[in-house]
Amino acid sequence: MGQKVNPNGLRLGINKDWDSKWYANKKDYAKFLNNDIKIREYFAKNLKDAAVSKVQVERNSKRTEIVVHTAKPGVIIGRGGEAIEKLKKEKNAVILAHYYVRPEVQEIADYIGDSFYLSKVAVELEEQTIVFCGVSFMGESAKVLNPQKTVLMPDAKADCAMAHMADEETIRAMRKKYDDLAVVCYINSTAELKRLSDVCVTSANAVRIVKALPNKDIFFIPDRNLAHFVAEQTPEKNFVYNEGYCPIHETVKIEELKQAKAEHPEAEVLTHPECPKSLLDLSDYIGSTSGIIDRVGKSDAEEFIICTENGVRYELEKRYPNKKFYFTKTEPVCEDMKMITLEKIAHVLRTGENEVQMDEALRAEFEKQHERLGDH
Ligand code: 13P
Ligand code: SF4
């Protein structure tokens, strides 16, 4: 193991041929990347007295290093990043990433944001190839908006469970039951569900778009929690609910939020609207992933309890180094988002594998649902 003392913390990463050779053994590295809780547990176990205070990724033009801040001086055991930079230039590619992906992936991304931002930015890109570091519905949206471009998914199996939690039969039945129904589809849905809907929304613009619809009856798919949140703010509408939910946000535990509030009474609670109402009721702010991040900047509070996927910690700590962030004890982790790794990004850039394919007739059909996204 190559080691270099560093006063800032324990430095981890991968060497410049990182996709084939390793300074540290691969098992350790995989454990490290798994997620922040596991990182902390892993170091607590392996570095006995070195309490891990912070994990961050640092990048300069030549390399990427993952820094684990501990009470002890750190060591560099590797680095990575150059291979992707080179491939990006060769392939005229750009990398988009959602805030829920691993820190080191966020670090090498050219654009990072929530679903709303990424869907807007996707239409403004000059590069011929888009590598989408997220789950499949995000890649599909990018393809709908950019039919001439190549959209590559680092892992074709990374999918959003909620995106499948509605069905054609129910949509058709609702249309029969209500004459004036608008089917409003959360962007976290399959292409097929979007095709069957009237308009596509994100958590950042759902209230504005629903308000602007001429229809009184709204069938909001697939997320019942976001639907209830939007319904509360649009009392003039008649909402019909669907039984879908995000398995990650749905399972944030109310007892754990209460415990975090008791431990950090000064902290503001910032919550994603995919969480159940019981959590929203205990929150100071409810908003999309970017909404949560921006709220920290606008707030005078110094401490925050964050009720959303733990990938946002990276951006929060980078943007607001003087503020403190806590999650519920069982940190929400979307395993599908964490399937995206640097190795897989380099692989698809190199091989062109996992290209998003879409039938042109289907694409044209649901382009209209997407096109209003940028207007709001
Ligand atoms: P936003 O990016 O709209 O906040 O959505 C969160 C989410 O679950 C993305 O999959
Ligand atoms: Fe889907 Fe939830 Fe994962 Fe977002 S966090 S991709 S909604 S499963």
Side-chain angles (χ1 to χ4, degrees):
M1 189 188 286
Q3 293 203 349
K4 185 172 157 192
V5 174
N6 185 293
N8 297 324
L10 180 74
R11 286 177 177 256
L12 287 185
I14 31 194
N15 71 6
K16 68 179 167 48
D17 297 320
W18 54 270
D19 43 355
S20 55
K21 288 186 199 134
W22 303 77
Y23 282 164
N25 72 51
K26 267 193 174 184
K27 214 167 114 220
D28 282 359
Y29 187 63
K31 267 191 207 166
F32 168 69
L33 293 183
N34 210 5
N35 67 49
D36 283 1
I37 305 180
K38 288 186 182 153
I39 292 166
R40 281 157 212 267
E41 282 170 1
Y42 176 67
F43 282 98
K45 216 163 119 199
N46 291 280
L47 289 172
K48 304 239 168 8
D49 54 345
V52 176
S53 57
K54 187 166 148 186
V55 178
Q56 73 187 68
V57 177
E58 284 179 3
R59 180 166 180 256
N60 60 34
S61 57
K62 292 229 170 71
R63 67 189 185 190
T64 299
E65 286 178 353
I66 297 156
V67 186
V68 180
H69 290 260
T70 68
K72 286 187 152 191
V75 288
I76 294 179
I77 62 171
R79 59 181 189 248
E82 303 94 327
I84 291 176
E85 280 300 319
K86 200 161 151 256
L87 282 162
K88 252 176 34 184
K89 284 200 189 94
E90 275 169 33
K91 310 281 176 174
N92 187 21
V94 60
I95 300 182
L96 269 56
H98 192 273
Y99 283 126
Y100 295 171
V101 298
R102 296 163 185 271
E104 71 276 15
V105 174
Q106 295 189 41
E107 191 57 34
I108 57 107
D110 299 295
Y111 298 91
I112 165 157
D114 68 354
S115 310
F116 179 61
Y117 171 80
L118 293 172
S119 68
K120 277 202 308 182
V121 98
V123 287
E124 293 159 10
L125 304 170
E126 282 172 8
E127 291 81 356
Q128 177 50 33
T129 297
I130 298 172
V131 179
F132 212 116
C133 301
V135 289
S136 42
F137 76 81
M138 297 178 171
E140 284 176 359
S141 294
K143 185 67 185 174
V144 171
L145 300 167
N146 299 278
Q148 312 306 335
K149 295 204 173 169
T150 305
V151 180
L152 301 176
M153 301 305 286
D155 191 320
K157 291 197 281 306
D159 196 5
C160 168
M162 181 167 70
H164 304 267
M165 291 187 191
D167 63 83
E168 182 167 357
E169 210 181 306
T170 316
I171 295 172
R172 294 208 189 286
M174 291 304 167
R175 284 203 192 277
K176 267 198 196 142
K177 194 166 168 193
Y178 300 90
D179 290 346
D180 183 34
L181 186 79
V183 180
V184 178
C185 189
Y186 189 21
I187 196 170
N188 296 36
S189 303
T190 60
E192 185 57 20
L193 287 176
K194 284 174 188 144
R195 189 176 69 82
L196 296 166
S197 305
D198 298 306
V199 64
C200 181
V201 302
T202 73
S203 57
N205 67 7
V207 173
R208 287 195 297 277
I209 291 191
V210 168
K211 261 190 195 303
L213 285 171
N215 318 61
K216 181 163 175 62
D217 299 320
I218 306 290
F219 183 37
F220 193 103
I221 58 167
D223 187 7
R224 63 172 178 229
N225 291 331
L226 180 60
H228 279 280
F229 172 68
V230 177
E232 269 198 8
Q233 291 167 80
T234 52
E236 68 279 17
K237 304 285 180 187
N238 172 42
F239 264 71
V240 184
Y241 298 98
N242 176 70
E243 278 311 298
Y245 58 90
C246 160
I248 316 309
H249 290 88
E250 170 79 11
T251 50
V252 178
K253 294 184 179 63
I254 185 82
E255 305 75 42
E256 293 191 4
L257 174 56
K258 285 181 182 161
Q259 186 191 336
K261 276 171 77 78
E263 284 165 13
H264 309 288
E266 301 298 316
E268 262 190 17
V269 180
L270 314 184
T271 302
H272 197 283
E274 287 175 17
C275 291
K277 183 168 169 21
S278 56
L279 277 103
L280 305 191
D281 288 345
L282 294 183
S283 304
D284 299 296
Y285 173 85
I286 301 158
S288 74
T289 309
S290 294
I292 288 175
I293 294 168
D294 293 346
R295 164 73 181 202
V296 173
K298 289 179 188 142
S299 168
D300 292 334
E302 287 172 4
E303 298 181 33
F304 301 86
I305 299 166
I306 307 293
C307 295
T308 190
E309 213 274 353
N310 78 351
V312 301
R313 176 192 275 121
Y314 173 69
E315 181 70 19
L316 287 169
E317 291 187 344
K318 191 165 95 174
R319 248 196 239 185
Y320 313 110
N322 299 324
K323 300 204 175 192
K324 286 206 174 100
F325 304 100
Y326 311 104
F327 285 74
T328 45
K329 191 163 169 246
T330 316
E331 291 195 18
V333 177
C334 179
E335 298 291 350
D336 283 78
M337 288 285 193
K338 305 299 192 233
M339 282 161 75
I340 313 304
T341 63
L342 294 177
E343 275 178 300
K344 290 175 188 171
I345 295 167
H347 181 78
V348 294
L349 274 170
R350 208 175 283 123
T351 62
E353 278 175 26
N354 299 347
E355 181 177 350
V356 177
Q357 303 288 354
M358 196 170 295
D359 173 75
E360 178 49 30
L362 174 66
R363 192 204 67 77
E365 251 194 277
F366 73 94
E367 187 177 22
K368 60 182 185 298
Q369 280 87 331
H370 269 82
E371 70 196 7
R372 297 185 63 179
L373 273 173
D375 303 341
H376 291 81

